[in-house]
Amino acid sequence: MRKMRGSAALVMGIMAAAFVGWLVFDGINAMQGGNLGGQVNPVVGQVGGRDIRYNEWNIFLQNELAINRQVGRGMTDEDVRVVTERAWESLISATLIQAELDRLGVRVTDAEVRQAFLTQPPQEMLSYAAFQTDGQFDIEKYRRFFTDPATDEMQLLQIENYYRSILPRAKLQTLVESGIYVSDDEAWRFYRDTNEQARVRFVHLSPTALVPDSAVSVSEDEIRDVYDERADEYMRPASARVNMVSVSLRPSAADSLVVRERAAALAERVRGGEDFAAVAAAESADSISGAEGGFMGKRPAAAYDPRLVEAAGAVEIGDVTEPVETPFGLHVLQVDERTADSLALRQIYLPFEPSGATEDSVFTLLDDLEEVALRTDLTTAADSLGVEVRTDIQLLDGVDFIPGAGQLGVARDWALGPEAGIGDVSETFENPTGFHLLELLGLREESRIPIEEAGIGIRLQLIVEKKKERAAELARDLLGAAEAGASFDEAAEGLGWTVEETELFRRGDFVPGLGQGTEAVGYAFGAEMGELSGALDAGDGVVVLEVLEREDATREGFEEVKDAVLTQLRFERSRQYVQKWLAALREGTLVEDHRERLLVPEDAPFAPTF
């Protein structure tokens, strides 16, 4: 118990992750309209007329950021942007749910809180090593930890608040899901569709190969009709043109050598008689396993990286491996237990990281780049410092990914935001690929793509559709020959076409020549054996097929797994139903986002366009 109580801070850190979105309403309402550090607490949004003020939003956001930082590595600018937007959506959902709880008067009793504590541990606790026995969650260890008289009262209060926050929502979810029902017939159809198999032979007709361009024509009126009917598809999003410099922060060869030498030295220390658990607790970069003396738990061998399994299999129980390299870094392992299909391992983990000297050189380069760019321009700065600059990159509204830089929505938001002006150089933005500086060259607002430009793609699309129609007509020649008495093979050979044959496949499989989820695949499970189809859509072409074999699902097999199938379908339907319910709440509620008002100066000039 002393050992468990010694890691109480880690336990409560795990508990904090369970509070996401729910504690924001406890004690924060009193802050509405109040002040923070003498500053006015402004409204940053509204959900159904309920004000969301800066204090509330800031506490919610900081809680979410703190939870994400517990993962172990620092957060980049792009990480912060993603978490911020996710937190905003979570706060909106939490506000909508709280409004429903208030409207329905959903409450929980003390007895319900006690019962939940004894029988429903937080999900985040189930994988915590201190509460496990032989690799499995041990609820008695969990109960003893929180019922020990020496346990801090604040920890118990946090546990109580956790249950008082989630139990009303569980009741609400039960009410929302109360009308969900999955019949045995629905379960049978799902089981049948998932397990039955078919094998066919077919002729695949490629429209592009069989039908020349000269055989089809597309008029301007047809192009115009498509352009008008699908107006929403031909909108060009707002965009920005930028120059960009990217600088990666990777460990140097010297940095990696230092880590390798340190890992080898730690392995030798253990071989020399030092306790592995003590060395892991002091030296491992993995704080979770390190707090448990490097213990990673007892898991199926398949749950470990194959490189760790291979290294563990080459030493005796209790022995220490040489450092093992994985994409995450170096691992010095000790094998506690090994069976035919499971392993209990301890590790000392050392990641490959840039040294302080490497970081200093990169940050100095970034400072110099920014300084010169602000006096001249980004291209001049990059040339003077020998750094590559990528020119005239287009950033699109709604697209986070930038080729060569990865996900960098924070840069797009800057370029398209109200604060940036033409010629401005951004601050340095960080994401997992490195650090990035941008210079804004031009802006273009959202607009409809002119028909002269969109018409090129529309014409090609219509040509493909018309060629498919012609290919379907050609398929009738094969069917006519078969009706006249020729076999499928003879009819195909007479037209110079090849009959192909598939392996057994299921409804959801991708089948070469037939596609995935196509009319052709569906036909294979509905036709009689030996029956020749008509012309069927196969995605990229047209096919005529014959069913050779079908393995039908049996009722006997279904009965053996019926309960599991029903449980799976109920879970999926419940999840979908709750999502639809939340979406309906959101759709019927006016949501206003005023966060940008806190960032935009009132006299900010309008940015010029291209």
Side-chain angles (χ1 to χ4, degrees):
M1 181 57 66
R2 283 194 301 271
K3 178 182 177 183
M4 293 173 65
R5 193 159 34 259
S7 57
L10 180 59
V11 174
M12 299 321 298
I14 296 174
M15 280 303 304
F19 292 156
V20 181
W22 305 129
L23 295 184
V24 71
F25 295 103
D26 296 328
I28 293 181
N29 285 337
M31 300 168 62
Q32 300 299 314
N35 295 330
L36 183 63
Q39 300 298 315
V40 175
N41 186 16
V43 173
V44 296
Q46 285 190 324
V47 179
R50 177 191 181 275
D51 289 345
I52 297 177
R53 294 189 176 271
Y54 174 79
N55 289 351
E56 177 183 2
W57 160 235
N58 187 53
I59 290 174
F60 194 94
L61 174 60
Q62 295 307 318
N63 183 54
E64 190 84 1
L65 290 170
I67 291 166
N68 280 270
R69 288 191 182 102
Q70 291 175 6
V71 172
R73 66 172 179 84
M75 295 184 70
T76 67
D77 298 308
E78 180 63 10
D79 293 333
V80 171
R81 182 195 70 83
V82 171
V83 171
T84 298
E85 292 312 303
R86 188 170 65 222
W88 181 250
E89 291 301 315
S90 296
L91 180 54
I92 292 171
S93 295
T95 305
L96 292 170
I97 290 171
Q98 187 63 43
E100 283 297 288
L101 290 169
D102 293 341
R103 185 180 68 83
L104 297 171
V106 178
R107 299 289 184 271
V108 293
T109 65
D110 292 345
E112 288 173 319
V113 171
R114 286 192 295 270
Q115 180 65 17
F117 169 76
L118 293 173
T119 60
Q120 302 172 37
Q123 186 68 31
E124 291 78 6
M125 292 293 191
L126 300 184
S127 59
Y128 182 50
F131 297 147
Q132 293 187 347
T133 300
D134 297 330
Q136 302 294 320
F137 177 75
D138 188 335
I139 196 169
E140 291 303 322
K141 287 184 177 179
Y142 166 78
R143 290 170 178 167
R144 285 199 300 272
F145 181 85
F146 287 107
T147 56
D148 189 308
T151 300
D152 191 323
E153 185 176 344
M154 182 59 67
Q155 295 176 7
L156 297 177
L157 182 60
Q158 287 180 305
I159 284 283
E160 180 181 351
N161 286 339
Y162 167 77
Y163 285 111
R164 290 196 183 279
S165 294
I166 67 166
L167 290 179
R169 289 159 180 81
K171 285 188 174 185
L172 180 59
Q173 182 166 337
T174 300
L175 288 173
V176 172
E177 296 173 349
S178 59
I180 294 174
Y181 173 72
V182 178
S183 68
D184 287 359
D185 285 343
E186 289 177 283
W188 159 247
R189 288 195 296 272
F190 174 82
Y191 175 82
R192 180 198 62 196
D193 292 348
T194 304
N195 289 275
E196 63 183 346
Q197 299 183 85
R199 184 169 64 87
V200 305
R201 58 179 183 160
F202 65 95
V203 169
H204 182 275
L205 306 181
S206 170
T208 55
L210 289 174
V211 183
D213 290 347
S214 58
V216 296
S217 62
V218 175
S219 70
E220 294 301 320
D221 286 343
E222 289 175 308
I223 293 174
R224 169 63 70 176
D225 288 343
V226 172
Y227 182 74
D228 291 339
E229 290 171 4
R230 307 175 186 174
D232 291 345
E233 297 178 20
Y234 301 110
M235 293 299 296
R236 178 185 285 120
S239 62
R241 291 188 302 109
V242 300
N243 289 341
M244 183 168 71
V245 168
S246 298
V247 179
S248 63
L249 179 58
R250 297 192 181 97
S252 66
D255 295 338
S256 298
L257 179 59
V258 169
V259 175
R260 295 182 193 282
E261 291 175 346
R262 183 180 169 214
L266 292 174
E268 285 304 314
R269 282 172 55 183
V270 176
R271 293 193 189 99
E274 290 192 47
D275 180 58
F276 188 100
V279 175
E283 305 288 350
S284 180
D286 179 5
S287 59
I288 295 179
S289 65
E292 300 301 317
F295 188 60
M296 301 169 72
K298 182 178 180 181
R299 313 179 195 169
Y304 287 104
D305 186 291
R307 284 159 285 208
L308 302 184
V309 176
E310 181 180 359
V315 298
E316 299 296 327
I317 302 297
D319 283 353
V320 176
T321 68
E322 294 297 327
V324 183
E325 184 171 341
T326 71
F328 306 101
L330 291 176
H331 311 255
V332 177
L333 304 175
Q334 184 180 58
V335 184
D336 278 8
E337 184 181 341
R338 180 171 53 221
T339 66
D341 57 1
S342 68
L343 280 170
L345 298 179
R346 294 179 183 272
Q347 73 163 347
I348 302 169
Y349 168 62
L350 300 178
F352 289 116
E353 293 179 330
S355 65
T358 299
E359 289 182 350
D360 288 344
S361 66
V362 169
F363 294 145
T364 298
L365 173 60
L366 290 169
D367 289 341
D368 292 344
L369 268 171
E370 188 171 0
E371 180 183 350
V372 178
L374 289 173
R375 286 191 284 106
T376 57
D377 58 66
L378 190 59
T379 301
T380 301
D383 289 343
S384 68
L385 293 166
V387 179
E388 180 184 359
V389 59
R390 298 171 59 206
T391 60
D392 209 20
I393 297 172
Q394 187 175 38
L395 309 182
L396 298 176
D397 189 19
V399 179
D400 295 343
F401 185 80
I402 301 176
Q407 182 169 292
L408 199 62
V410 63
R412 176 213 58 214
D413 289 349
W414 169 81
L416 293 173
E419 294 183 291
I422 303 303
D424 284 356
V425 174
S426 74
E427 61 183 284
T428 301
F429 297 119
E430 183 189 3
N431 73 353
T433 69
F435 300 91
H436 313 271
L437 260 70
L438 293 85
E439 180 181 28
L440 183 59
L441 304 178
L443 294 168
R444 182 168 55 196
E445 295 182 354
E446 181 184 42
S447 60
R448 192 175 186 192
I449 300 173
I451 190 170
E452 294 78 16
E453 187 177 335
I456 298 172
I458 295 173
R459 182 182 297 276
L460 292 174
Q461 181 183 356
L462 290 175
I463 287 173
V464 170
E465 291 175 1
K466 290 193 174 189
K467 283 188 174 185
K468 256 190 177 181
E469 293 171 1
R470 294 297 299 274
E473 293 174 4
L474 293 174
R476 297 190 187 102
D477 294 338
L478 184 149
L479 295 169
E483 290 173 359
S487 68
F488 188 26
D489 293 295
E490 291 170 342
E493 185 178 356
L495 293 167
W497 298 336
T498 302
V499 177
E500 302 176 63
E501 192 170 306
T502 72
E503 301 291 336
L504 282 167
F505 61 88
R506 293 181 172 85
R507 285 179 183 267
D509 293 344
F510 172 80
V511 186
L514 304 184
Q516 184 175 34
T518 62
E519 182 184 23
V521 171
Y523 180 88
F525 294 93
E528 296 294 331
M529 302 287 290
E531 180 180 340
L532 202 61
S533 75
L536 302 172
D537 188 343
D540 65 345
V542 173
V543 301
V544 176
L545 66 79
E546 177 186 19
V547 181
L548 297 178
E549 178 185 357
R550 190 157 53 236
E551 292 186 1
D552 294 327
T554 65
R555 281 282 181 176
E556 291 78 9
F558 169 66
E559 290 298 329
E560 292 178 2
V561 297
K562 183 175 76 172
D563 289 343
V565 173
L566 284 168
T567 298
Q568 177 185 349
L569 290 180
R570 286 172 187 142
F571 174 79
E572 286 297 322
R573 186 164 295 181
S574 169
R575 184 177 60 84
Q576 294 169 7
Y577 193 85
V578 170
Q579 288 177 344
K580 289 180 180 179
W581 173 77
L582 270 174
L585 280 181
R586 177 72 179 265
E587 185 177 352
T589 304
L590 178 62
V591 177
E592 299 180 23
D593 183 355
H594 305 311
R595 289 175 294 163
E596 284 191 358
R597 293 183 185 175
L598 302 179
L599 306 175
V600 185
E602 292 183 3
D603 57 349
F606 181 75
T609 60
F610 287 105

